[in-house]
Amino acid sequence: MAKARSTSAFLPSMQTTRSRGSPCPRFRLREVASMYFTMIMVFLIILVVALQGTAPRENYFPYKVPLDPQQLLELSWNVSYPQQVVHFQLFVKEPKFGLLFGMSDRGEFENADLVVLWSDGHSSYFGDAWSDEKGQLHMDSQQDYQLLKAHRTPEGLYLVFKRAFSTCDPKDYFIEDGTVHLIYGILEKPVHSLQAIDISAIHKGLQRVQLLKPNISTPELPNGMKTMEIRVPDIVIPSQETTYWCYMVELPDSFPRHHIVMYEPVITAGNEAIVHHMEVFQCAAEFDSFPHYNGPCDSKMKPDRLNYCRHVLAAWAMGAQAFYYPEEAGLAFGGPGSSKYLRLEVHYHNPLVFQGRRDSSGIRLYYTGTLRRYDAGIMELGLVYTPVMAIPPGETNFLLTGYCTDKCTQVALPSTGIHIFASQLHTHLTGRKVVTVLSRDGRERAVVNADNHYSPHFQEIRMLKKVVSVFPGDVLVTTCTYNTEDRNQATVGGFSITEEMCVNYVHYYPQTQLELCKSAVDYGYLQRYFNLVNRFNDEEICTCPLASVTQQFSSVPWNAFNRDVLKSLYDFAPISMHCNKSSAVRFPGEWEKQPLPRITGVLPEPAPTCQPTLKPLPASPALVNLGRVKAE
Amino acid sequence: MAKARSTSAFLPSMQTTRSRGSPCPRFRLREVASMYFTMIMVFLIILVVALQGTAPRENYFPYKVPLDPQQLLELSWNVSYPQQVVHFQLFVKEPKFGLLFGMSDRGEFENADLVVLWSDGHSSYFGDAWSDEKGQLHMDSQQDYQLLKAHRTPEGLYLVFKRAFSTCDPKDYFIEDGTVHLIYGILEKPVHSLQAIDISAIHKGLQRVQLLKPNISTPELPNGMKTMEIRVPDIVIPSQETTYWCYMVELPDSFPRHHIVMYEPVITAGNEAIVHHMEVFQCAAEFDSFPHYNGPCDSKMKPDRLNYCRHVLAAWAMGAQAFYYPEEAGLAFGGPGSSKYLRLEVHYHNPLVFQGRRDSSGIRLYYTGTLRRYDAGIMELGLVYTPVMAIPPGETNFLLTGYCTDKCTQVALPSTGIHIFASQLHTHLTGRKVVTVLSRDGRERAVVNADNHYSPHFQEIRMLKKVVSVFPGDVLVTTCTYNTEDRNQATVGGFSITEEMCVNYVHYYPQTQLELCKSAVDYGYLQRYFNLVNRFNDEEICTCPLASVTQQFSSVPWNAFNRDVLKSLYDFAPISMHCNKSSAVRFPGEWEKQPLPRITGVLPEPAPTCQPTLKPLPASPALVNLGRVKAE
């Protein structure tokens, strides 16, 4: 109903033109011909609308995420791949004078794509808008967010609207795979127009989600499944913005080998907006015991040995649902050769600094003693953690690439191949994009996983939309893009949070001995680079071989030439391959000074395809009937 | 009439749907609402059609060019900038079973955008098509070439059709400023379908034109104008594909100073498709006399002294019209201090090797003794002719950049500035693109001239669409793109046709002393590059300072690193500036080891903007009534 009303508010000029017509005017021959044509169009439009109506897209929203920490705004959504459309339902607990919701490259309010609901105190409007580089709002020339429903309930206001993944409006955000930075803002005073909204003055925030969830059917769970909840023991969430909480758990003695087949989050009610992500790690089997610990992970009191609990068993991040293993595989845990110690890590994001909030969140594992056909495995792709791979300071868009070469997959993978079904991308603070591409016979074949809006603060394990099979001789190339604009020293590779990583943890089956397939530039060639920099520039810089690589990098004068040549070096120099079994044992073979894989055929870039809608979209905002607007 | 018939042939499915309607059917409420809307659309479409009709776009074609050397096909066209549309009239002297006409990046028949008229022996069809990378034809999903007229006369067939500069079809060519490579083909047998056309088997060819002629009004010519025709003396065109003919002309003794205000081509009737381009050069004043010569420019008999006749007075290329100087300026010739010797050069393109064809083509100069307010001048921008600027072999897309720095414009230009009104781009055989951009205060302000489909075989003087004013302190950056795929040695800068140049001859007023504002990389930095290459690669290459730069370049092992680092060097190293008056005298100042201009703000790339048409375009070809199709 709101829909019909809203449609009637489009462009006054159209309404006046409309009054010129009558149901059956007299037309000349030319006009009659045109009439025929337009009737066909009407028919087509009705047909399309009718077909679209068959799916219950406006009522069923399987995905849900709180937008703000107070849970005043909650977003639910569904994805239609055939229609290339996302339907959103936005729940507003205390609608005041409207709100902003939208998307932008990395969560900024400048250059953002927004829907705005605003009220001047009398009427409410819903419009598709964009913000310029200064954050000033403008109405879109074409209204691509389409309002479908707006209704009040005692709990709050529900807005239902839809947006195509890609529109023909260059000001619109292109919804693609991977992380989407959602932004929101709440209008607490009436505004006379969209342009009058001052973004700098409103209560606003950011939430990251994977909007385009994979459309894969849930595998059936076996009978006789057991569950185990690994949860923090009713702790008090520290009253600070960021806490990583560590809690050690012990499996029962002589707990036999099982397969984890599914896991899901267990969130304490009311804390949905604070529990940001959780991971369960298994500890290293070489230690007989681990201390029990329950406290912040960065506490001075945390025993060092907990650093040996790094093997991921389960990982969840806000907005994610249950994680299912494929029907033919499970993740082994328990039994001989595996540690009985697990570490649960919960990241609390508490920007409003709630005090005394208690929490018992964690992860519920579903496991079975009836082992599935295949063990699932996790393999690390990307770069070795070494300072030879470095990013100059002040770069907005610097690429580092790690290789898993044909030579390594040749020796390490079974001839029947392995099947990658999930992936977790990982960098430290300066990571902005990550992508892994599979190549065969020198040609790119498939994207294993890609995130063009990657954030180190949102590292989910993601199910792949399509399982990617890797065979002996295949090449896996992982490229990370970094932004070091705010740094004045080179950022080298390493374990520290201020150093960088470029990793894709791929989840696959059947498990193989290959745990690590990563690379780094050859050390000798990097030394040639330092020599060259020394000679080319008229400066005396320390490249004495006794200095560490980190010291050498920190003494490079970062002019355009030295930056460019470092890029050229990384694109050219041979690599040192880490083609490793567990415990850092290399597969037999020569792995030093290996040539870079030659890849000549590249996949096309995923680009927004502009598909003009059959139905012309309205050019101005819709009037929305929300009943009485609450005057706070 | 043909238009109406052709429209009626669209999609049978539409015709069947059409029969469902009646002039005044009964509609339910929803349909009536839709009817209103579609009526508005009909009204808008009629309005647009009516407005379009006001300009005589389908009858007036000021530009004309023969497509093939036999002049069986002739193209006329006009350009509407408000509508962003080109109207074409294609004249077909002997229509057989159809023809192909279209555009592609560099004149190739693969990945081309085509209109095809084809006949199966009974009916004829007109359709918008594209060819894939193998040259196979496909119908476009949207018919963006719209047939407006098709009529037979005793002389032949006229087809009139139009195309927007840019369409929403990614298979379509984007018509932009600069050279357009037109392609044509003639169907000599009936074909049953578009897909059945075998491009490799048909008679076909290429013609280059500037399609988007500038829309500038012709300046008024003064009274008392004199003309002078500089034409070859009824020569026999050699029976070979390519001839450059040189003919020396002498001005009368004590011919006083005049201003050339206009010139136009004089082409011997019948040779319109063979006379490819013509230039009139003035000889150097330092020589008292030049030998009379009338023969091929590459003849062993040609006196060397003719190489000193290089100052361009007039230039014309096929498809170009008369060249008018702006009302306030003229090109000085005659009078003391200028040579009375002129050299006419005519390029004959005779691919069908006609024998015994006579020619008296040339250029007609319009000049006046009543000097205009300003002398016009010609200034050379770009790169110095020196081997230090080189292109590695096997590059598809290598950029070299020449600078006219703020320091040079500061000392050499008047405070009131100069006004560039025309430009002639120049490279040798591997040049593929040329662009000059004006920057001020570190930000790009205007494109002086750009050709993304530049061909060394089509070097016109082009009037600028908009005069560009250059003031002291401005920077002019000229960038050329080269393709050396077919070479296995580096291509160095120099005068030889197998060496390269990157030049923009800009025509401007008022004339200044600045004749040359060009640059080259600093010699010392280039030597550092050769040292670096020597040390980085494990090879012994000759970089001994005694070797010439050309020899040094030819000994570089061209791997990816050495290529990349050369690019980085050119993007970084200081330059040697040639800020010269005539006869190679530099303006006073320090011109060695100058920093590269820093330009931070760049202009947006000219990109095709997809503007969906109001009227949906047909999705299949049109049936064309051509009367009887001549069965050869």
Side-chain angles (χ1 to χ4, degrees), chain A residues 109-131:
Chain A
F109 278 76
E110 297 79 30
N111 301 311
D113 180 10
L114 294 157
V115 267
V116 185
L117 176 75
W118 77 95
S119 163
D120 55 13
H122 308 287
S123 306
S124 297
Y125 304 88
F126 177 94
D128 186 357
W130 59 281
S131 66

Short mmCIF file of all heavy atoms in Angstrom, two decimals, chain A residues 109-131:
data_model
loop_
_atom_site.label_atom_id
_atom_site.label_comp_id
_atom_site.label_asym_id
_atom_site.label_seq_id
_atom_site.Cartn_x
_atom_site.Cartn_y
_atom_site.Cartn_z
N PHE A 109 32.03 8.08 4.66
CA PHE A 109 30.77 8.74 4.31
C PHE A 109 30.91 9.66 3.10
O PHE A 109 29.95 10.22 2.63
CB PHE A 109 30.20 9.50 5.53
CG PHE A 109 29.44 8.59 6.45
CD1 PHE A 109 30.12 7.73 7.29
CD2 PHE A 109 28.06 8.54 6.43
CE1 PHE A 109 29.44 6.85 8.11
CE2 PHE A 109 27.36 7.67 7.24
CZ PHE A 109 28.05 6.83 8.10
N GLU A 110 32.14 9.80 2.61
CA GLU A 110 32.35 10.55 1.38
C GLU A 110 32.27 9.55 0.22
O GLU A 110 32.61 8.37 0.39
CB GLU A 110 33.73 11.21 1.37
CG GLU A 110 33.91 12.24 2.47
CD GLU A 110 34.20 11.60 3.82
OE1 GLU A 110 34.80 10.49 3.85
OE2 GLU A 110 33.80 12.18 4.85
N ASN A 111 31.84 9.99 -0.94
CA ASN A 111 31.72 9.13 -2.12
C ASN A 111 30.93 7.87 -1.81
O ASN A 111 31.29 6.78 -2.23
CB ASN A 111 33.10 8.76 -2.67
CG ASN A 111 33.91 9.98 -3.05
OD1 ASN A 111 33.41 10.85 -3.73
ND2 ASN A 111 35.14 10.03 -2.58
N ALA A 112 29.88 8.02 -1.04
CA ALA A 112 29.07 6.86 -0.64
C ALA A 112 27.77 6.82 -1.44
O ALA A 112 27.32 7.83 -1.99
CB ALA A 112 28.77 6.94 0.85
N ASP A 113 27.22 5.62 -1.50
CA ASP A 113 25.94 5.38 -2.16
C ASP A 113 24.93 5.19 -1.04
O ASP A 113 25.11 4.30 -0.20
CB ASP A 113 26.10 4.09 -2.99
CG ASP A 113 24.84 3.72 -3.74
OD1 ASP A 113 23.90 4.52 -3.77
OD2 ASP A 113 24.82 2.59 -4.28
N LEU A 114 23.88 5.99 -1.00
CA LEU A 114 23.00 6.00 0.18
C LEU A 114 21.52 5.97 -0.19
O LEU A 114 21.13 6.50 -1.22
CB LEU A 114 23.25 7.28 0.99
CG LEU A 114 24.61 7.42 1.66
CD1 LEU A 114 24.91 8.89 1.92
CD2 LEU A 114 24.66 6.62 2.95
N VAL A 115 20.73 5.34 0.69
CA VAL A 115 19.29 5.60 0.69
C VAL A 115 19.03 6.46 1.90
O VAL A 115 19.61 6.24 2.96
CB VAL A 115 18.40 4.35 0.85
CG1 VAL A 115 18.00 3.80 -0.48
CG2 VAL A 115 18.98 3.32 1.75
N VAL A 116 18.14 7.42 1.74
CA VAL A 116 17.85 8.32 2.84
C VAL A 116 16.34 8.36 3.05
O VAL A 116 15.57 8.49 2.11
CB VAL A 116 18.37 9.75 2.56
CG1 VAL A 116 18.17 10.63 3.78
CG2 VAL A 116 19.84 9.71 2.17
N LEU A 117 15.94 8.18 4.31
CA LEU A 117 14.56 8.41 4.70
C LEU A 117 14.61 9.66 5.55
O LEU A 117 15.36 9.70 6.53
CB LEU A 117 14.05 7.22 5.52
CG LEU A 117 12.62 7.37 6.07
CD1 LEU A 117 11.59 7.19 4.97
CD2 LEU A 117 12.39 6.37 7.21
N TRP A 118 13.90 10.72 5.13
CA TRP A 118 13.96 11.92 5.96
C TRP A 118 12.58 12.56 6.08
O TRP A 118 11.71 12.37 5.22
CB TRP A 118 14.97 12.93 5.42
CG TRP A 118 14.54 13.72 4.22
CD1 TRP A 118 13.98 14.96 4.21
CD2 TRP A 118 14.64 13.32 2.83
NE1 TRP A 118 13.73 15.36 2.92
CE2 TRP A 118 14.12 14.39 2.07
CE3 TRP A 118 15.11 12.17 2.19
CZ2 TRP A 118 14.05 14.33 0.67
CZ3 TRP A 118 15.05 12.12 0.82
CH2 TRP A 118 14.52 13.18 0.07
N SER A 119 12.40 13.27 7.18
CA SER A 119 11.12 13.90 7.46
C SER A 119 11.34 15.37 7.75
O SER A 119 12.31 15.75 8.41
CB SER A 119 10.48 13.21 8.67
OG SER A 119 9.46 14.03 9.17
N ASP A 120 10.44 16.20 7.22
CA ASP A 120 10.52 17.63 7.53
C ASP A 120 9.62 17.96 8.70
O ASP A 120 9.37 19.13 9.01
CB ASP A 120 10.16 18.46 6.29
CG ASP A 120 8.80 18.10 5.72
OD1 ASP A 120 8.02 17.39 6.42
OD2 ASP A 120 8.52 18.47 4.57
N GLY A 121 9.09 16.92 9.38
CA GLY A 121 8.20 17.13 10.51
C GLY A 121 6.76 16.89 10.13
O GLY A 121 5.92 16.61 10.96
N HIS A 122 6.49 16.97 8.80
CA HIS A 122 5.13 16.74 8.31
C HIS A 122 5.08 15.51 7.43
O HIS A 122 4.35 14.57 7.68
CB HIS A 122 4.63 17.97 7.53
CG HIS A 122 4.78 19.23 8.30
ND1 HIS A 122 3.97 19.54 9.37
CD2 HIS A 122 5.68 20.24 8.20
CE1 HIS A 122 4.34 20.70 9.89
NE2 HIS A 122 5.39 21.14 9.20
N SER A 123 5.93 15.50 6.39
CA SER A 123 5.94 14.38 5.45
C SER A 123 7.30 13.70 5.50
O SER A 123 8.30 14.30 5.90
CB SER A 123 5.67 14.87 4.04
OG SER A 123 4.48 15.61 4.01
N SER A 124 7.29 12.44 5.07
CA SER A 124 8.54 11.68 5.01
C SER A 124 8.83 11.31 3.57
O SER A 124 7.91 11.05 2.79
CB SER A 124 8.44 10.41 5.85
OG SER A 124 8.25 10.76 7.19
N TYR A 125 10.11 11.25 3.24
CA TYR A 125 10.53 10.95 1.88
C TYR A 125 11.58 9.85 1.89
O TYR A 125 12.36 9.75 2.85
CB TYR A 125 11.12 12.20 1.21
CG TYR A 125 10.17 13.36 1.22
CD1 TYR A 125 10.15 14.24 2.30
CD2 TYR A 125 9.27 13.56 0.18
CE1 TYR A 125 9.27 15.31 2.34
CE2 TYR A 125 8.39 14.64 0.21
CZ TYR A 125 8.39 15.49 1.29
OH TYR A 125 7.50 16.54 1.32
N PHE A 126 11.60 9.09 0.83
CA PHE A 126 12.59 8.02 0.70
C PHE A 126 13.29 8.25 -0.63
O PHE A 126 12.64 8.33 -1.67
CB PHE A 126 11.87 6.67 0.68
CG PHE A 126 12.76 5.48 0.47
CD1 PHE A 126 13.28 4.78 1.56
CD2 PHE A 126 13.08 5.03 -0.81
CE1 PHE A 126 14.10 3.67 1.37
CE2 PHE A 126 13.90 3.93 -1.01
CZ PHE A 126 14.41 3.25 0.09
N GLY A 127 14.60 8.38 -0.62
CA GLY A 127 15.28 8.67 -1.88
C GLY A 127 16.64 8.00 -1.98
O GLY A 127 17.28 7.69 -0.97
N ASP A 128 17.05 7.77 -3.21
CA ASP A 128 18.38 7.23 -3.52
C ASP A 128 19.31 8.42 -3.69
O ASP A 128 19.04 9.31 -4.49
CB ASP A 128 18.28 6.42 -4.82
CG ASP A 128 19.57 5.69 -5.15
OD1 ASP A 128 20.57 5.85 -4.43
OD2 ASP A 128 19.58 4.97 -6.16
N ALA A 129 20.38 8.44 -2.90
CA ALA A 129 21.26 9.60 -2.90
C ALA A 129 22.71 9.17 -2.99
O ALA A 129 23.02 7.97 -2.98
CB ALA A 129 21.04 10.43 -1.64
N TRP A 130 23.59 10.15 -3.13
CA TRP A 130 25.03 9.88 -3.07
C TRP A 130 25.70 11.04 -2.38
O TRP A 130 25.16 12.14 -2.34
CB TRP A 130 25.59 9.67 -4.48
CG TRP A 130 25.39 10.81 -5.42
CD1 TRP A 130 24.24 11.13 -6.10
CD2 TRP A 130 26.35 11.81 -5.79
NE1 TRP A 130 24.44 12.26 -6.86
CE2 TRP A 130 25.73 12.71 -6.70
CE3 TRP A 130 27.69 12.03 -5.46
CZ2 TRP A 130 26.38 13.79 -7.26
CZ3 TRP A 130 28.35 13.12 -6.02
CH2 TRP A 130 27.69 13.99 -6.91
N SER A 131 26.86 10.77 -1.82
CA SER A 131 27.60 11.85 -1.18
C SER A 131 28.86 12.10 -2.00
O SER A 131 29.46 11.17 -2.53
CB SER A 131 27.95 11.48 0.25
OG SER A 131 28.86 10.39 0.28
#
